[in-house]
Amino acid sequence: RKAQYLLAFAYTNIPIQSFEALRELYLEQCIRENAGTAEAKNAYALYAQLVEDESTGSGGVHLDEETKSKLAELKGTAFGSGH
């Protein structure tokens, strides 16, 4: 599971445009397959940051309801349903 998180982390830091589609995919996979672990929590934090960065404009962060729902679901998976 550590290797899976490190792979996802690496994809977020490689400035190659063709890897952009893999960033969120690997982070989401890490969260779902390692629920409740430190790796899932770290992957969620990175995932949320990427999504917010992509949704930020001059007026601030604007997330649609579908994205907010997915973030909430992944947070619950990463941290346990009580969070």
Side-chain angles (χ1 to χ4, degrees), residues 31 39-49 71-72 74-75 78-79:
I31 294 165
E39 290 82 10
K41 293 171 186 174
N42 290 335
Y44 172 78
L46 196 51
Y47 182 92
Q49 184 64 50
L71 282 172
L74 290 174
K75 185 175 185 179
F79 290 89

Side-chain angles (χ1 to χ4, degrees), residues 20-34:
E20 287 182 8
L22 299 175
R23 294 172 182 158
E24 291 177 17
L25 178 72
Y26 278 121
L27 290 168
E28 183 175 346
Q29 181 180 3
C30 183
I31 294 165
R32 293 187 188 284
E33 291 182 6
N34 303 292

Side-chain angles (χ1 to χ4, degrees), residues 3-21:
Q4 187 179 36
Y5 170 73
L6 291 173
L7 178 62
F9 180 79
Y11 273 110
T12 65
N13 290 290
I14 297 174
I16 299 175
Q17 191 171 17
S18 60
F19 287 168
E20 287 182 8

Side-chain angles (χ1 to χ4, degrees), residues 29-72:
Q29 181 180 3
C30 183
I31 294 165
R32 293 187 188 284
E33 291 182 6
N34 303 292
T37 66
E39 290 82 10
K41 293 171 186 174
N42 290 335
Y44 172 78
L46 196 51
Y47 182 92
Q49 184 64 50
L50 282 174
V51 169
E52 288 177 6
D53 287 350
E54 291 172 359
S55 302
T56 300
S58 60
V61 178
H62 296 287
L63 300 173
D64 59 40
E65 290 304 314
E66 182 179 342
T67 302
K68 288 178 186 177
S69 177
K70 186 170 185 177
L71 282 172

